[in-house]
Amino acid sequence: MPKIIPIRDLKNTSMISQMCHESDEPIFVTKNGYGDMVIMSMKIYEEKMFMSDVYRKLKAAEEQLTEGKTLNGDESLKSIKEKYNV
């Protein structure tokens, strides 16, 4: 379940840092009862960015499949072997 804290709690930086490192999810910060910011540890941020990149590449690959932009695996390997004399 996501953690939601009021913006005034950001004054206690060591507590916020500890919460970020203990949580596997972002922490939502509210201001006047409305969502204002999201904070997370660097580890979680890097994991989210990595997965975002994976999903973007998968989407591009699916679009290429739908458009028929595919290559024959055997022919591709043969041309790579010829190109690099393997």
Side-chain angles (χ1 to χ4, degrees):
M1 181 165 184
K3 291 184 181 180
I4 302 171
I5 61 170
I7 199 164
R8 70 177 174 272
D9 286 358
L10 293 180
K11 291 178 184 176
N12 190 346
T13 55
S14 59
M15 179 194 73
I16 298 298
S17 176
Q18 183 179 357
M19 282 175 46
C20 286
H21 291 284
E22 290 173 353
S23 176
D24 289 339
E25 296 182 345
I27 297 171
F28 298 91
V29 181
T30 60
K31 182 177 180 182
N32 297 325
Y34 296 97
D36 188 49
M37 294 183 278
V38 176
I39 56 176
M40 63 182 76
S41 69
M42 288 297 293
K43 177 185 171 217
I44 298 300
Y45 175 77
E46 289 169 354
E47 289 172 4
K48 299 263 184 220
M49 291 298 103
F50 174 78
M51 289 309 297
S52 176
D53 186 47
V54 167
Y55 292 138
R56 184 180 50 79
K57 290 176 180 176
L58 283 172
K59 182 180 178 188
E62 287 176 350
E63 289 172 356
Q64 289 175 349
L65 278 172
T66 342
E67 295 169 2
K69 295 180 181 177
T70 59
L71 300 173
N72 180 295
D74 292 331
E75 292 174 13
S76 296
L77 284 174
K78 183 179 177 184
S79 69
I80 290 171
K81 287 178 181 180
E82 289 173 357
K83 181 177 179 179
Y84 294 104
N85 296 319
V86 178

Coordinates of all heavy atoms in Angstrom, one line a residue:
M1 N 0.8 -1.2 0.0 CA 0.0 0.0 0.0 C 0.9 1.2 0.0 O 1.9 1.3 0.7 CB -0.9 0.0 1.2 CG -1.8 1.1 1.3 SD -3.1 0.8 2.5 CE -4.1 2.2 2.3
P2 N 0.6 2.2 -0.8 CA 1.4 3.4 -0.9 C 1.4 4.2 0.3 O 0.4 4.3 1.0 CB 0.9 4.2 -2.1 CG -0.5 3.7 -2.3 CD -0.5 2.3 -1.8
K3 N 2.5 4.9 0.6 CA 2.6 5.8 1.8 C 2.3 7.2 1.3 O 2.8 7.6 0.3 CB 4.0 5.7 2.4 CG 4.3 4.4 3.1 CD 5.6 4.4 3.8 CE 5.9 3.1 4.4 NZ 7.2 3.0 5.1
I4 N 1.5 7.9 2.1 CA 1.1 9.2 1.8 C 1.5 10.1 3.0 O 1.0 9.7 4.1 CB -0.3 9.4 1.4 CG1 -0.7 8.5 0.2 CG2 -0.7 10.8 1.1 CD1 -2.1 8.3 -0.1
I5 N 2.2 11.1 2.8 CA 2.6 12.0 4.0 C 2.3 13.4 3.6 O 2.4 13.8 2.4 CB 4.1 11.8 4.3 CG1 5.0 12.2 3.2 CG2 4.4 10.4 4.8 CD1 6.5 12.3 3.5
P6 N 2.1 14.3 4.6 CA 1.9 15.7 4.3 C 3.3 16.4 4.1 O 4.3 15.9 4.6 CB 1.2 16.2 5.6 CG 1.6 15.3 6.7 CD 1.8 13.9 6.0
I7 N 3.3 17.5 3.4 CA 4.5 18.2 3.1 C 5.3 18.6 4.3 O 6.5 18.7 4.3 CB 4.2 19.3 2.1 CG1 5.5 19.7 1.4 CG2 3.6 20.5 2.8 CD1 5.3 20.6 0.2
R8 N 4.6 18.9 5.4 CA 5.2 19.4 6.6 C 6.2 18.3 7.2 O 7.1 18.6 7.9 CB 4.2 19.9 7.6 CG 3.4 18.8 8.3 CD 2.5 19.3 9.3 NE 1.6 18.2 9.8 CZ 0.4 17.9 9.3 NH1 0.0 18.6 8.2 NH2 -0.3 16.9 9.8
D9 N 5.9 17.1 6.9 CA 6.8 16.0 7.4 C 8.2 16.0 6.7 O 9.1 15.3 7.2 CB 6.1 14.6 7.2 CG 5.0 14.4 8.2 OD1 4.7 15.3 9.0 OD2 4.3 13.3 8.1
L10 N 8.3 16.7 5.6 CA 9.6 16.7 4.9 C 10.7 17.4 5.8 O 11.9 17.3 5.4 CB 9.5 17.4 3.6 CG 8.6 16.7 2.5 CD1 8.6 17.5 1.2 CD2 9.2 15.3 2.3
K11 N 10.3 18.1 6.8 CA 11.3 18.7 7.7 C 12.2 17.7 8.4 O 13.3 17.9 8.6 CB 10.6 19.5 8.8 CG 9.9 20.7 8.2 CD 9.1 21.5 9.3 CE 8.4 22.7 8.8 NZ 7.6 23.3 9.8
N12 N 11.6 16.5 8.6 CA 12.4 15.4 9.3 C 13.1 14.6 8.2 O 12.6 13.5 7.8 CB 11.5 14.6 10.1 CG 12.3 13.6 11.0 OD1 13.4 13.4 10.8 ND2 11.6 13.0 11.9
T13 N 14.2 15.1 7.6 CA 14.8 14.5 6.5 C 15.4 13.1 6.7 O 15.3 12.2 5.9 CB 16.0 15.4 6.0 OG1 16.9 15.6 7.0 CG2 15.4 16.7 5.4
S14 N 15.9 12.8 7.9 CA 16.4 11.5 8.2 C 15.3 10.4 8.2 O 15.4 9.3 7.7 CB 17.2 11.4 9.5 OG 16.4 11.8 10.6
M15 N 14.1 10.8 8.8 CA 13.0 9.9 8.8 C 12.5 9.6 7.3 O 12.2 8.5 7.0 CB 11.8 10.5 9.6 CG 10.6 9.6 9.6 SD 9.1 10.4 10.2 CE 8.7 11.4 8.8
I16 N 12.4 10.7 6.5 CA 12.0 10.5 5.1 C 13.0 9.6 4.4 O 12.5 8.8 3.6 CB 11.9 11.9 4.4 CG1 10.8 12.8 5.1 CG2 11.6 11.8 3.0 CD1 9.4 12.2 5.1
S17 N 14.3 9.9 4.6 CA 15.3 9.0 3.9 C 15.1 7.6 4.3 O 15.1 6.7 3.4 CB 16.7 9.5 4.3 OG 17.6 8.7 3.7
Q18 N 14.9 7.3 5.6 CA 14.7 6.0 6.0 C 13.5 5.3 5.4 O 13.5 4.2 5.0 CB 14.6 5.9 7.6 CG 14.5 4.5 8.1 CD 14.4 4.6 9.7 OE1 14.5 5.6 10.3 NE2 14.2 3.4 10.2
M19 N 12.4 6.1 5.4 CA 11.1 5.6 4.8 C 11.3 5.2 3.3 O 10.8 4.2 2.9 CB 10.0 6.7 4.9 CG 9.4 6.7 6.3 SD 8.1 8.1 6.4 CE 7.2 7.9 5.0
C20 N 12.1 6.1 2.6 CA 12.3 5.8 1.2 C 13.1 4.5 1.0 O 12.8 3.8 0.1 CB 13.1 7.0 0.6 SG 12.1 8.4 0.3
H21 N 14.1 4.3 1.8 CA 14.9 3.1 1.7 C 14.2 1.8 2.1 O 14.6 0.7 1.7 CB 16.3 3.3 2.4 CG 17.1 4.3 1.7 ND1 17.8 4.1 0.6 CD2 17.4 5.6 2.0 CE1 18.5 5.2 0.2 NE2 18.2 6.1 1.0
E22 N 13.3 2.0 3.0 CA 12.5 0.8 3.5 C 11.4 0.4 2.6 O 10.9 -0.7 2.6 CB 12.0 1.1 4.9 CG 13.1 1.1 6.0 CD 12.6 1.5 7.3 OE1 11.4 1.9 7.4 OE2 13.3 1.5 8.3
S23 N 10.9 1.4 1.8 CA 9.8 1.1 0.9 C 10.2 0.7 -0.5 O 11.2 1.2 -1.0 CB 8.9 2.4 0.9 OG 7.9 2.2 0.0
D24 N 9.4 -0.2 -1.0 CA 9.7 -0.6 -2.4 C 8.8 0.2 -3.4 O 8.8 -0.1 -4.6 CB 9.3 -2.1 -2.6 CG 10.3 -3.0 -1.9 OD1 11.5 -2.5 -1.7 OD2 10.0 -4.2 -1.6
E25 N 8.1 1.2 -2.9 CA 7.2 2.0 -3.7 C 7.6 3.5 -3.4 O 8.1 3.8 -2.4 CB 5.8 1.8 -3.3 CG 5.3 0.4 -3.6 CD 3.8 0.2 -3.3 OE1 3.3 1.1 -2.5 OE2 3.2 -0.7 -3.7
P26 N 7.2 4.4 -4.3 CA 7.3 5.8 -4.1 C 6.5 6.2 -2.9 O 5.5 5.6 -2.6 CB 6.8 6.4 -5.4 CG 6.7 5.4 -6.4 CD 6.6 4.1 -5.6
I27 N 6.9 7.4 -2.3 CA 6.1 8.0 -1.2 C 5.4 9.2 -1.8 O 6.1 10.1 -2.4 CB 7.0 8.3 0.0 CG1 7.6 7.0 0.5 CG2 6.2 9.1 1.0 CD1 8.7 7.2 1.6
F28 N 4.2 9.4 -1.6 CA 3.4 10.5 -2.1 C 3.3 11.6 -1.1 O 3.0 11.3 0.1 CB 2.0 10.0 -2.6 CG 2.0 9.0 -3.7 CD1 2.1 7.7 -3.4 CD2 2.1 9.4 -5.0 CE1 2.1 6.7 -4.4 CE2 2.2 8.5 -6.0 CZ 2.2 7.1 -5.7
V29 N 3.6 12.8 -1.5 CA 3.6 13.9 -0.6 C 2.4 14.8 -1.0 O 2.2 15.2 -2.1 CB 4.9 14.7 -0.7 CG1 4.9 15.9 0.3 CG2 6.1 13.8 -0.4
T30 N 1.6 15.2 0.1 CA 0.4 16.0 -0.2 C 0.7 17.4 0.3 O 1.4 17.7 1.3 CB -0.8 15.4 0.5 OG1 -0.6 15.4 1.9 CG2 -1.1 14.1 -0.1
K31 N 0.0 18.4 -0.3 CA 0.0 19.8 0.1 C -1.4 20.2 0.2 O -2.1 20.2 -0.9 CB 0.9 20.6 -0.8 CG 1.0 22.1 -0.5 CD 1.9 22.8 -1.4 CE 2.0 24.2 -1.1 NZ 2.9 24.9 -2.1
N32 N -1.9 20.7 1.3 CA -3.3 21.1 1.5 C -4.3 20.0 1.1 O -5.3 20.2 0.5 CB -3.6 22.4 0.7 CG -2.8 23.5 1.2 OD1 -2.5 23.7 2.4 ND2 -2.3 24.4 0.3
G33 N -3.9 18.7 1.3 CA -4.8 17.6 1.1 C -4.7 17.1 -0.4 O -5.4 16.2 -0.7
Y34 N -3.9 17.7 -1.2 CA -3.8 17.3 -2.6 C -2.4 16.8 -2.9 O -1.5 17.2 -2.4 CB -4.2 18.4 -3.6 CG -5.6 18.9 -3.4 CD1 -5.9 20.0 -2.6 CD2 -6.7 18.2 -4.0 CE1 -7.2 20.4 -2.5 CE2 -8.0 18.7 -3.9 CZ -8.3 19.8 -3.1 OH -9.5 20.2 -3.0
G35 N -2.3 15.9 -3.9 CA -1.0 15.3 -4.3 C -0.2 16.4 -4.8 O -0.6 17.3 -5.6
D36 N 1.1 16.5 -4.4 CA 2.0 17.5 -4.8 C 3.3 17.0 -5.4 O 3.8 17.4 -6.4 CB 2.3 18.4 -3.6 CG 3.1 19.6 -4.0 OD1 2.7 20.3 -5.0 OD2 4.1 19.9 -3.3
M37 N 3.9 15.9 -4.7 CA 5.2 15.4 -5.1 C 5.2 13.9 -4.9 O 4.4 13.4 -4.1 CB 6.3 16.0 -4.3 CG 6.6 17.5 -4.5 SD 8.0 18.1 -3.6 CE 7.3 18.3 -2.0
V38 N 6.2 13.3 -5.5 CA 6.5 11.9 -5.2 C 8.0 11.8 -4.9 O 8.8 12.3 -5.7 CB 6.2 11.0 -6.4 CG1 6.5 9.6 -6.2 CG2 4.7 11.1 -6.8
I39 N 8.4 11.0 -3.9 CA 9.8 10.8 -3.6 C 10.1 9.3 -3.5 O 9.2 8.5 -3.1 CB 10.3 11.6 -2.3 CG1 9.4 11.2 -1.1 CG2 10.2 13.0 -2.5 CD1 9.9 11.8 0.2
M40 N 11.3 8.9 -3.8 CA 11.7 7.5 -3.7 C 13.2 7.4 -3.6 O 13.9 8.4 -3.9 CB 11.2 6.8 -4.9 CG 11.8 7.2 -6.2 SD 11.2 6.4 -7.7 CE 9.6 7.1 -7.9
S41 N 13.7 6.3 -3.2 CA 15.1 6.1 -3.1 C 15.7 6.0 -4.5 O 15.0 5.7 -5.5 CB 15.4 4.8 -2.4 OG 15.1 3.6 -3.1
M42 N 17.0 6.2 -4.6 CA 17.7 6.1 -5.9 C 17.6 4.7 -6.5 O 17.4 4.5 -7.7 CB 19.2 6.5 -5.7 CG 19.4 8.0 -5.5 SD 18.9 9.0 -6.9 CE 20.0 8.5 -8.1
K43 N 17.7 3.7 -5.6 CA 17.6 2.3 -6.1 C 16.2 2.1 -6.8 O 16.2 1.5 -7.9 CB 17.7 1.4 -4.9 CG 17.6 -0.1 -5.2 CD 17.7 -0.9 -4.0 CE 17.3 -2.4 -4.4 NZ 16.5 -3.0 -3.4
I44 N 15.2 2.5 -6.1 CA 13.8 2.3 -6.7 C 13.7 3.1 -8.0 O 13.1 2.6 -9.0 CB 12.7 2.6 -5.7 CG1 12.8 1.7 -4.5 CG2 11.3 2.6 -6.3 CD1 12.6 0.3 -4.8
Y45 N 14.2 4.3 -8.0 CA 14.2 5.2 -9.2 C 14.9 4.5 -10.3 O 14.3 4.5 -11.5 CB 14.8 6.5 -8.9 CG 14.9 7.4 -10.1 CD1 13.8 8.1 -10.6 CD2 16.1 7.6 -10.8 CE1 13.8 8.9 -11.7 CE2 16.2 8.4 -11.9 CZ 15.1 9.1 -12.3 OH 15.1 9.8 -13.5
E46 N 16.1 4.0 -10.1 CA 16.8 3.3 -11.2 C 16.1 2.1 -11.7 O 16.1 1.8 -12.9 CB 18.2 3.0 -10.7 CG 19.1 4.2 -10.5 CD 20.4 3.9 -9.8 OE1 20.6 2.8 -9.3 OE2 21.2 4.9 -9.7
E47 N 15.5 1.3 -10.8 CA 14.7 0.2 -11.2 C 13.5 0.6 -12.1 O 13.2 0.0 -13.1 CB 14.2 -0.6 -10.0 CG 15.3 -1.3 -9.2 CD 14.8 -2.0 -7.9 OE1 13.6 -1.9 -7.6 OE2 15.7 -2.5 -7.2
K48 N 12.8 1.7 -11.7 CA 11.7 2.1 -12.4 C 12.1 2.6 -13.8 O 11.4 2.4 -14.8 CB 10.9 3.3 -11.7 CG 10.4 2.8 -10.3 CD 9.0 2.5 -10.4 CE 8.4 2.2 -9.0 NZ 7.5 1.1 -9.0
M49 N 13.2 3.3 -13.9 CA 13.7 3.8 -15.1 C 14.1 2.7 -16.1 O 13.9 2.7 -17.3 CB 14.9 4.8 -15.0 CG 14.5 6.1 -14.3 SD 13.3 7.1 -15.3 CE 11.8 6.8 -14.4
F50 N 14.8 1.7 -15.5 CA 15.2 0.5 -16.3 C 13.9 -0.2 -16.9 O 13.9 -0.5 -18.0 CB 15.9 -0.5 -15.4 CG 16.3 -1.8 -16.1 CD1 17.3 -1.8 -17.0 CD2 15.5 -2.9 -15.8 CE1 17.6 -3.0 -17.6 CE2 15.8 -4.1 -16.5 CZ 16.9 -4.2 -17.4
M51 N 12.9 -0.4 -16.0 CA 11.7 -1.1 -16.5 C 11.0 -0.2 -17.5 O 10.4 -0.7 -18.5 CB 10.8 -1.4 -15.3 CG 11.3 -2.5 -14.5 SD 11.8 -4.0 -15.4 CE 10.3 -4.6 -16.1
S52 N 11.0 1.1 -17.3 CA 10.4 2.0 -18.3 C 11.1 1.9 -19.7 O 10.4 1.8 -20.7 CB 10.5 3.4 -17.8 OG 10.0 4.3 -18.8
D53 N 12.4 1.7 -19.7 CA 13.1 1.6 -20.9 C 12.8 0.2 -21.5 O 12.7 0.1 -22.8 CB 14.6 1.7 -20.6 CG 15.5 1.6 -21.8 OD1 15.2 2.4 -22.8 OD2 16.5 0.9 -21.9
V54 N 12.7 -0.8 -20.7 CA 12.3 -2.2 -21.2 C 11.0 -2.1 -21.9 O 10.8 -2.6 -23.0 CB 12.3 -3.2 -20.1 CG1 11.7 -4.5 -20.5 CG2 13.7 -3.5 -19.6
Y55 N 10.0 -1.5 -21.3 CA 8.6 -1.4 -21.8 C 8.6 -0.6 -23.1 O 7.9 -0.9 -24.1 CB 7.7 -0.8 -20.8 CG 7.4 -1.7 -19.6 CD1 7.3 -1.1 -18.4 CD2 7.2 -3.0 -19.8 CE1 7.1 -1.9 -17.3 CE2 7.0 -3.8 -18.7 CZ 6.9 -3.3 -17.4 OH 6.6 -4.1 -16.3
R56 N 9.4 0.5 -23.2 CA 9.5 1.3 -24.4 C 10.1 0.5 -25.5 O 9.6 0.5 -26.7 CB 10.4 2.5 -24.1 CG 10.5 3.5 -25.3 CD 11.3 4.7 -25.0 NE 12.7 4.4 -24.4 CZ 13.7 3.9 -25.1 NH1 13.6 3.8 -26.4 NH2 14.9 3.7 -24.6
K57 N 11.1 -0.3 -25.3 CA 11.7 -1.1 -26.3 C 10.8 -2.2 -26.7 O 10.7 -2.6 -27.9 CB 13.0 -1.7 -25.8 CG 14.1 -0.6 -25.7 CD 15.4 -1.2 -25.1 CE 16.5 -0.1 -25.0 NZ 17.7 -0.6 -24.4
L58 N 10.0 -2.8 -25.8 CA 9.1 -3.8 -26.2 C 8.0 -3.3 -27.1 O 7.5 -3.9 -28.0 CB 8.4 -4.5 -24.9 CG 9.3 -5.5 -24.2 CD1 8.7 -5.9 -22.9 CD2 9.6 -6.7 -25.0
K59 N 7.5 -2.1 -26.7 CA 6.5 -1.4 -27.5 C 7.0 -1.2 -29.0 O 6.3 -1.4 -29.9 CB 6.0 -0.1 -26.9 CG 5.0 0.6 -27.7 CD 4.5 1.9 -27.0 CE 3.5 2.5 -27.9 NZ 3.1 3.9 -27.4
A60 N 8.2 -0.7 -29.1 CA 8.8 -0.5 -30.4 C 8.9 -1.8 -31.2 O 8.6 -1.8 -32.4 CB 10.2 0.2 -30.3
A61 N 9.3 -2.9 -30.5 CA 9.4 -4.2 -31.2 C 8.1 -4.7 -31.6 O 7.9 -5.2 -32.7 CB 10.1 -5.2 -30.2
E62 N 7.0 -4.5 -30.8 CA 5.7 -4.9 -31.2 C 5.2 -4.1 -32.4 O 4.5 -4.6 -33.3 CB 4.7 -4.7 -30.0 CG 4.9 -5.8 -28.9 CD 4.0 -5.5 -27.7 OE1 3.4 -4.5 -27.6 OE2 4.0 -6.4 -26.9
E63 N 5.5 -2.8 -32.4 CA 5.1 -2.0 -33.6 C 5.8 -2.5 -34.8 O 5.2 -2.5 -35.9 CB 5.4 -0.5 -33.3 CG 4.5 0.1 -32.3 CD 5.0 1.5 -31.9 OE1 6.0 2.0 -32.3 OE2 4.2 2.1 -31.0
Q64 N 7.1 -2.8 -34.7 CA 7.8 -3.3 -35.9 C 7.2 -4.7 -36.4 O 7.1 -4.9 -37.6 CB 9.3 -3.5 -35.5 CG 10.1 -2.3 -35.4 CD 11.5 -2.5 -34.9 OE1 11.9 -3.6 -34.5 NE2 12.3 -1.4 -35.0
L65 N 6.8 -5.5 -35.4 CA 6.1 -6.8 -35.8 C 4.8 -6.5 -36.6 O 4.6 -7.1 -37.6 CB 5.8 -7.6 -34.6 CG 7.0 -8.4 -34.0 CD1 6.6 -9.1 -32.7 CD2 7.4 -9.5 -35.0
T66 N 4.0 -5.5 -36.1 CA 2.8 -5.2 -36.7 C 3.0 -4.7 -38.1 O 2.2 -4.9 -39.0 CB 2.0 -4.2 -35.9 OG1 2.4 -4.1 -34.6 CG2 0.5 -4.5 -35.8
E67 N 4.0 -3.9 -38.3 CA 4.3 -3.3 -39.6 C 5.0 -4.3 -40.5 O 5.3 -3.9 -41.6 CB 5.2 -2.0 -39.4 CG 4.4 -0.9 -38.6 CD 5.4 0.2 -38.2 OE1 6.6 0.2 -38.6 OE2 4.9 1.1 -37.6
G68 N 5.3 -5.5 -40.0 CA 6.0 -6.5 -40.8 C 7.5 -6.2 -41.0 O 8.1 -6.8 -41.9
K69 N 8.1 -5.4 -40.2 CA 9.5 -5.1 -40.3 C 10.3 -6.2 -39.5 O 10.8 -5.9 -38.4 CB 9.8 -3.8 -39.7 CG 9.2 -2.6 -40.5 CD 9.5 -1.3 -39.8 CE 8.9 -0.1 -40.6 NZ 9.2 1.1 -39.9
T70 N 10.3 -7.4 -40.0 CA 11.0 -8.5 -39.4 C 12.1 -9.0 -40.3 O 12.1 -8.8 -41.5 CB 10.1 -9.6 -39.0 OG1 9.5 -10.1 -40.2 CG2 9.0 -9.1 -38.1
L71 N 13.1 -9.7 -39.7 CA 14.2 -10.3 -40.4 C 14.2 -11.8 -40.2 O 13.7 -12.3 -39.1 CB 15.5 -9.7 -40.0 CG 15.7 -8.2 -40.2 CD1 17.0 -7.8 -39.5 CD2 15.7 -7.9 -41.7
N72 N 14.7 -12.5 -41.1 CA 14.8 -14.0 -41.0 C 16.1 -14.2 -40.1 O 17.1 -13.7 -40.4 CB 15.0 -14.6 -42.4 CG 15.2 -16.1 -42.3 OD1 16.2 -16.6 -41.7 ND2 14.2 -16.9 -42.8
G73 N 15.9 -15.0 -39.0 CA 17.0 -15.2 -38.1 C 18.2 -15.9 -38.7 O 19.3 -15.4 -38.4
D74 N 18.0 -16.9 -39.5 CA 19.1 -17.6 -40.1 C 19.9 -16.7 -41.1 O 21.1 -16.7 -41.0 CB 18.6 -18.8 -40.9 CG 18.1 -19.9 -39.9 OD1 18.5 -20.0 -38.8 OD2 17.2 -20.7 -40.4
E75 N 19.2 -15.9 -41.9 CA 19.8 -15.0 -42.8 C 20.6 -13.9 -42.0 O 21.7 -13.5 -42.4 CB 18.8 -14.4 -43.7 CG 18.2 -15.4 -44.7 CD 17.1 -14.7 -45.5 OE1 17.0 -13.5 -45.5 OE2 16.4 -15.5 -46.2
S76 N 20.0 -13.4 -41.0 CA 20.7 -12.4 -40.2 C 22.0 -12.9 -39.6 O 23.0 -12.2 -39.6 CB 19.8 -11.9 -39.0 OG 18.6 -11.3 -39.6
L77 N 21.9 -14.1 -39.0 CA 23.1 -14.7 -38.4 C 24.2 -14.9 -39.4 O 25.4 -14.7 -39.2 CB 22.8 -16.0 -37.7 CG 22.1 -15.9 -36.3 CD1 21.7 -17.2 -35.8 CD2 23.0 -15.2 -35.3
K78 N 23.8 -15.4 -40.6 CA 24.7 -15.7 -41.7 C 25.4 -14.4 -42.1 O 26.6 -14.4 -42.3 CB 24.0 -16.3 -42.9 CG 24.9 -16.7 -44.0 CD 24.1 -17.3 -45.2 CE 25.0 -17.6 -46.3 NZ 24.3 -18.2 -47.5
S79 N 24.7 -13.3 -42.3 CA 25.3 -12.0 -42.7 C 26.2 -11.5 -41.6 O 27.2 -10.9 -41.9 CB 24.2 -11.0 -43.1 OG 23.5 -10.6 -41.9
I80 N 25.9 -11.7 -40.4 CA 26.7 -11.2 -39.3 C 28.0 -12.0 -39.3 O 29.1 -11.4 -39.1 CB 26.0 -11.3 -37.9 CG1 24.9 -10.3 -37.8 CG2 27.0 -11.1 -36.8 CD1 24.0 -10.4 -36.6
K81 N 27.9 -13.3 -39.5 CA 29.1 -14.2 -39.5 C 30.0 -13.8 -40.7 O 31.2 -13.8 -40.5 CB 28.7 -15.6 -39.6 CG 28.2 -16.2 -38.3 CD 27.8 -17.6 -38.4 CE 27.2 -18.2 -37.1 NZ 26.8 -19.6 -37.2
E82 N 29.4 -13.5 -41.8 CA 30.2 -13.1 -43.0 C 30.9 -11.8 -42.8 O 32.0 -11.6 -43.1 CB 29.3 -13.1 -44.2 CG 28.9 -14.5 -44.7 CD 27.9 -14.4 -45.8 OE1 27.4 -13.2 -46.2 OE2 27.5 -15.4 -46.3
K83 N 30.1 -10.9 -42.1 CA 30.6 -9.5 -41.9 C 31.8 -9.5 -41.0 O 32.8 -8.8 -41.2 CB 29.5 -8.6 -41.4 CG 30.0 -7.2 -41.1 CD 28.8 -6.3 -40.6 CE 29.2 -4.9 -40.4 NZ 28.1 -4.1 -39.9
Y84 N 31.8 -10.3 -39.9 CA 32.9 -10.4 -38.9 C 33.8 -11.6 -39.1 O 34.6 -11.8 -38.2 CB 32.2 -10.3 -37.5 CG 31.5 -9.0 -37.3 CD1 30.2 -8.9 -37.3 CD2 32.3 -7.8 -37.1 CE1 29.5 -7.7 -37.1 CE2 31.6 -6.6 -36.9 CZ 30.2 -6.6 -36.9 OH 29.6 -5.4 -36.7
N85 N 33.7 -12.3 -40.2 CA 34.5 -13.5 -40.4 C 34.5 -14.4 -39.2 O 35.6 -14.9 -38.8 CB 36.0 -13.0 -40.8 CG 36.0 -12.2 -42.0 OD1 35.3 -12.6 -43.0 ND2 36.8 -11.2 -42.0
V86 N 33.4 -14.8 -38.8 CA 33.3 -15.7 -37.7 C 32.9 -17.1 -38.2 O 32.2 -17.4 -39.0 CB 32.2 -15.3 -36.7 CG1 32.1 -16.3 -35.5 CG2 32.5 -13.9 -36.1

